[in-house]
Every structure is written in C-alpha cells, then in structure tokens.
Amino acid sequence: MEVSTAQKHKQQQEFALASISELASASSSSSLSSSFPVAARFSADCGVAELRFRRHFESVDAFSFDLPNAKLFKLGPLQSVCITEGADTNKEESYSRGVLINFRNEEEGKTFHCAFEQWKNGCIVQGSCLPNGAVSASKSKFDDKIEPSSAKMYFHYYGQLLHQQNMLQDYVRTGTYYAAVIENRADFVGRVVVDVGAGSGILSLFAAQAGAKHVYAVEASEMADYARKLISGNPSLGQRITVIRGKVEEVELPEKADILISEPMGTLLVNERMLESYVIARDRFLVPNGKMFPSTGRIHMAPFSDEYLFVEIANKALFWQQQNYYGVDLTPLYGSAFQGYFTQPVVDAFDPRLLVAPAISHVIDFSEIKEEELYDIDIPLKFLAAVGTRVHGLACWFDVLFNGSTVQRWLSTAPGAPTTHWYQLRCVLLQPLYVVAGQEITGRLHLVAHNAQSYTIYLTMSAKMWGPGAEQGGIIQTSSCKLDLKEPYYRMSQPQAYTMAQDQQPHQLMHAQDINIQADDLEDPELMQQPSQT
C-alpha cells in the first residue's frame, strides 16, 4: 500500500493560481475568483496526462483538459491562456474551449509553463517533476548500459583541471572549435544553445561570444563547479550561461535548443561512448532541423606496414621466454603473453608513408543516426595494395565536420596533419599478411560496445589471389585479432618520422620473421591462422 501511495504522489503536481476564467463565450464566461485559493493540478491517474482547475475547498473540478490535445500560450508575465483542440477535423486548427490563467507572480508563471511542457511531453509520467538542473531519482538510460565503476572513473577523470588543461592545450582541437563557432555567428546570434558535456565551459563561452541568447552548459562531473567559476569570472558572457550539473539523459531544461555544441569524440571517434549521449541530447533538447556542432563524423581506415612496431610489441613478451627465472621456467605463459600484447590497440602519431593503400571511410551522421546504431558498428574493408610489402594491421583516424551556414570546417586527426591529443590508432595483427602491388585486401572491422564505456574490436584482414586467374581464385591468407579499445598501448613518445627505407630491417632486435609462435601456445588458437600455401 505504501508503494502505491508513493507512486500516486509522483503522478500529481499542483500549483496555486490567482484566478482563472473560462473563455467559452463572452456572454456566459464563468470565473473562479481570486478571493478564494485556486489550484491547477497535473495528473496522470488513468495513463493520460490531464490538467484540472478547481477551488481548494471544492472537491469537484471546474475545468479539465487532456494535455495531449491542449496548448498553452503566454499573454504576459502574469497571464496565459490554455486552449484545447476541438473535434472539427476539416480545419487545420480548431479549439472548443479555453481558460484564461492569472498567476500570482512572474516566477510561478514560468514554473507553470515548464511543468506544462514536461507533462505534455510525457516526462513527468515516468518520474517526479524536475526543476531546471535537477536529476531524476530513477535509474537513467546511462545507468542501465554503463558499469557504475567505469562511470565513476570516467567522471573523476574529467573532473580534474589537469585533464581539462590537456584538452584546452590541444590547439588544433580548441582552435578549430573556436573558428567554427565565431565564423558562423549567424547560426548563434539570438539562439538557445546546449553544451553537451561542457567540461570547463570553454565551448559555452565561445557560443556566448558568437551572440547566443542563452547557453545551457550540462556537465555531470565535478568540473561543473570549476565551469561556474570560470564563467562567473567572465560576467559579460556568463550572464547568458547557465551551468547544470547532471547527465543529459537525466536533466530537464526549461526550453528547447536551436543548436547543440559538444566535443563527444574519443579515440577512434567512438571510444568513451559519449556520442550516444550527444544523440540522446539531440532527441531530448534540439528543435526540429536544429544545428549540431559537429554534425558529421568519419572513421578513416587503411592497411599499414610497420616492421618496427610489430617487433616492438612482440619483444615485450620475451620476458616470458626465460627458462630459469629464479629457478622458475616462465615459458608456459609465453604464448598467452604474446597474444595479450596484441590485444592492445596502439595510440601514437605515425608517418603516413607507412600506409600501403588509399584509405576508405565510414560516415556517421550525428543528426540522423539512432543511439542503438552506435552499439554495434560493422565496417566492411576493401583495399588495393599500392606496394609489395608485409601488412601488419589496420590504421585508423577520424575527422568531424562543423557544417555552419557561413563556413564549413573539418577537425582532422589524420596522420601527417598537425597532431592532436587523439593521435591515431592502429590495430596490429598477430600474423602479418604478404601482399604485392595491385593485390586486393579485404576484411571486416567490427566494433561492439561494452559497459565499460568502450568497444571490443574484432578485425579480420585477408589477401586475395592476384595475377592471371585471380578472378577465379579466393583467399590465400587471413589474419584476425581481437582488441579492447578501453586498454590501448599509448606510444606517443616514439618517433613520428621513419627515415629508413621500407625494405630495410631493424637491427639489434629479433626480426619479426624469426618469431615462432605455435597455435598450442595461444589461449585462442583461431585468432592465429598461418598463411596457406599457393
């Protein structure tokens, strides 16, 4: 019984009014005088949201409206009119009755309008009424799909100024955002903006500089407190910015946004799964045909050859080849260790001359994609080798488009371009492929989201037959690997330029072709497939 009572309480919300008057006709207009307390009550007792008006001392409702068919218009700071649609379907807009509402003060009028929109859109039926910036007590969509320990670490990381400084000092990133906003002032002047995952609030300040009417900076981590300090320290801009601490999946805003701005990109574009929050914010807050900065992302992929990198990773497992480590033979774990090092994607900046074929792209349209489509991303691969070499894996990077009305700008993380804090990412195969110029390389890059706010990467690459009769031939080599995007190998301190020729071998290290791994040594032998004989 107690649960039912609590649930019933959540399904109601009541406001005190000065007075209301029915607008059915001028001759027979009735009124609930302000000499008596007048109440308006939102409820959803039968599953349909309703608005009812009555005197506090009366048990019978004077007027009632079904909210799905009602509209509320503001006539002044203290006066609004509520009307309900009529039954005449031959007209585009027909209304059967209306009520003139007088509020006791301006603040109560604003709160009533906010509640009306929330109840009409079905927000309140699922939980309690949320004032601006409040967070729902019920479990949100974010909580349903993300492990609590991962979320705690994630928000702790971005709640520290030193990490915000790292991003702010990425001048390619910050400068591109600034240029994209300022050069497209026409999109921002007089508009309402929502900054999704605002961090330090720098993008909110850019939007205010561009003339935004108001900016709602939504940030779930402790950085929201620092953002308030930074914004209050810039009063000429800060007076048009409201910082709201909470997740975009949970907070309520008093109005819709004309523009969403955010920096939701992670390694390989999708890491940290913030793109999903960006899409949720689009569905919850953005007006139809509103703008998104950025609006489009592209993942670029190309096969690469890097003998240095392959040998470097393989050599990490040499520790486990010791047969007398304090009297202990470590070799039984060598195969597992070798495989383990190849489950880490490599994050660094590499020389674009290491690519052995032109890149292909996978496009993600942020304005159209559904959140669920980001849970599983399957990308077919098809390349034509430009040179004869050993292919060691797949190189990936991304860019995003700011599609402004005045200027279009791309933020690129490509190899050879100015380096960003995202760098590039490479997936290294357990067994390289041998290819010749003109040979076709096929495969699949499959990204599966997991609850640690990242993705498991399944990569398969194959070399097809070449030369006379190749059209009738099939695959002659295949290599696969499984990697965890959550646990990359950060290699940023390594040299970014390679001065040796492609066919030269590194010295003083074990050559890659000398590494002999037996399938029996691996935890997952299917991942390593030896090249078949031609």
Side-chain angles (χ1 to χ4, degrees):
M1 180 64 71
E2 291 179 359
V3 174
S4 300
T5 304
Q7 182 65 25
K8 184 177 180 181
H9 177 70
K10 287 185 177 181
Q11 301 297 323
Q12 296 182 358
Q13 185 181 14
E14 195 163 290
F15 289 85
L17 307 175
S19 67
I20 61 171
S21 301
E22 186 176 13
L23 302 178
S25 66
S27 59
S28 62
S29 115
S30 60
S31 172
L32 296 180
S33 170
S34 59
S35 59
F36 300 102
V38 180
R41 185 181 65 186
F42 295 96
S43 64
D45 297 333
C46 300
V48 178
E50 292 181 315
L51 172 60
R52 300 175 179 272
F53 298 95
R54 63 177 175 82
R55 290 189 179 97
H56 278 301
F57 60 85
E58 293 179 342
S59 59
V60 179
D61 297 320
F63 309 109
S64 64
F65 296 92
D66 290 339
L67 285 180
N69 300 319
K71 292 186 178 182
L72 184 66
F73 298 96
K74 188 174 184 179
L75 304 181
L78 301 177
Q79 196 172 63
S80 296
V81 63
C82 181
I83 55 178
T84 185
E85 294 181 4
D88 188 353
T89 58
N90 295 325
K91 297 180 181 180
E92 292 185 0
E93 292 189 18
S94 175
Y95 301 96
S96 60
R97 67 185 310 194
V99 169
L100 182 67
I101 306 171
N102 294 300
F103 302 102
R104 298 182 300 181
N105 55 62
E106 187 174 350
E107 186 63 30
E108 288 184 356
K110 290 180 180 179
T111 305
F112 183 88
H113 272 260
C114 180
F116 183 92
E117 289 301 321
Q118 292 173 349
W119 278 88
K120 183 177 175 66
N121 294 330
C123 301
I124 305 304
V125 176
Q126 301 171 6
S128 58
C129 179
L130 301 176
N132 183 22
V135 179
S136 170
S138 60
K139 199 171 184 181
S140 73
K141 198 169 188 179
F142 180 91
D143 298 325
D144 285 334
K145 65 185 181 182
I146 300 300
E147 191 178 70
S149 59
S150 175
K152 183 178 180 180
M153 292 177 62
Y154 174 77
F155 292 124
H156 174 72
Y157 178 91
Y158 285 106
Q160 300 179 58
L161 282 173
L162 63 98
H163 297 303
Q164 294 292 330
Q165 178 178 337
N166 178 49
M167 292 184 290
L168 290 172
Q169 287 182 320
D170 181 347
Y171 297 112
V172 175
R173 164 198 179 269
T174 308
T176 303
Y177 267 90
Y178 179 77
V181 173
I182 299 302
E183 292 173 350
N184 290 289
R185 289 179 181 270
D187 293 324
F188 287 85
V189 172
R191 304 295 172 83
V192 175
V193 179
V194 172
D195 183 356
V196 180
S200 65
I202 191 68
L203 301 185
S204 297
L205 290 163
F206 289 170
Q209 286 183 37
K213 180 176 72 173
H214 200 85
V215 183
Y216 296 96
V218 182
E219 172 58 41
S221 76
E222 294 179 3
M223 188 53 55
D225 298 329
Y226 292 109
R228 288 191 182 98
K229 284 186 178 181
L230 180 63
I231 289 168
S232 63
N234 294 266
S236 61
L237 303 172
Q239 61 185 354
R240 288 180 282 126
I241 302 175
T242 300
V243 178
I244 300 172
R245 182 170 180 181
K247 304 181 185 75
V248 295
E249 293 86 352
E250 301 171 3
V251 302
E252 298 292 339
L253 302 180
E255 55 187 327
K256 292 287 188 177
D258 303 298
I259 298 178
L260 289 188
I261 190 168
S262 181
E263 195 263 78
M265 301 88 72
T267 309
L268 193 59
L269 182 61
V270 296
N271 188 36
E272 297 179 341
R273 298 183 64 179
M274 190 179 166
L275 278 179
E276 295 167 31
S277 296
Y278 191 37
V279 170
I280 290 172
R282 176 201 70 193
D283 295 338
R284 296 194 66 208
F285 304 137
L286 192 62
V287 299
N289 300 317
K291 281 192 169 292
M292 299 178 73
F293 276 62
S295 59
T296 304
R298 299 185 302 187
I299 300 174
H300 303 274
M301 299 146 286
F304 73 92
S305 178
D306 190 344
E307 207 74 45
Y308 284 104
L309 176 62
F310 183 85
V311 172
E312 178 186 327
I313 295 175
N315 279 348
K316 289 183 177 184
L318 291 180
F319 170 83
W320 299 96
Q321 281 197 333
Q322 298 180 79
Q323 296 179 347
N324 188 8
Y325 181 76
Y326 295 97
V328 177
D329 183 2
L330 300 181
T331 57
L333 295 180
Y334 173 65
S336 300
F338 182 88
Q339 181 179 347
Y341 282 117
F342 281 88
T343 63
Q344 292 184 284
V346 178
V347 176
D348 68 349
F350 64 85
D351 193 317
R353 290 174 292 181
L354 297 176
L355 301 177
V356 300
I360 63 172
S361 302
H362 176 74
V363 179
I364 300 177
D365 187 345
F366 303 146
S367 62
E368 296 292 339
I369 193 169
K370 297 178 181 178
E371 176 202 351
E372 292 75 15
E373 293 175 341
L374 292 167
Y375 295 171
D376 191 298
I377 303 172
D378 199 7
I379 307 173
L381 306 175
K382 186 176 182 180
F383 308 98
L384 205 62
V387 294
T389 187
R390 284 156 52 94
V391 173
H392 293 101
L394 188 71
C396 307
W397 61 95
F398 71 87
D399 53 25
V400 293
L401 172 65
F402 300 92
N403 190 21
S405 300
T406 307
V407 177
Q408 287 187 337
R409 277 197 173 269
W410 286 94
L411 170 56
S412 174
T413 66
T419 304
T420 70
H421 77 283
W422 291 286
Y423 295 88
Q424 292 98 42
L425 180 134
R426 287 186 283 176
C427 302
V428 185
L429 295 168
L430 275 165
Q431 290 291 320
L433 302 175
Y434 296 81
V435 299
V436 298
Q439 189 172 3
E440 188 174 89
I441 304 169
T442 60
R444 189 163 297 275
L445 179 67
H446 189 195
L447 308 176
V448 180
H450 58 64
N451 61 5
Q453 289 177 275
S454 193
Y455 286 78
T456 301
I457 303 174
Y458 299 91
L459 172 64
T460 300
M461 297 182 72
S462 304
K464 296 187 68 175
M465 289 186 65
W466 72 96
E471 294 181 359
Q472 287 75 39
I475 302 297
I476 60 172
Q477 299 175 76
T478 294
S479 186
S480 302
C481 59
K482 175 183 175 182
L483 309 99
D484 188 355
L485 188 56
K486 179 79 171 182
E487 300 293 340
Y489 164 35
Y490 291 102
R491 191 177 175 255
M492 284 83 76
S493 61
Q494 299 297 320
Q496 297 182 20
Y498 287 72
T499 56
M500 296 180 67
Q502 186 70 42
D503 57 353
Q504 286 184 277
Q505 297 293 332
H507 301 290
Q508 299 177 348
L509 287 175
M510 181 170 57
H511 292 302
Q513 59 265 35
D514 296 332
I515 299 172
N516 185 21
I517 302 296
Q518 300 299 322
D520 293 340
D521 295 332
L522 300 179
E523 293 178 350
D524 191 353
E526 293 182 0
L527 290 177
M528 188 188 79
Q529 300 184 30
Q530 298 289 348
S532 59
Q533 299 297 321
T534 59

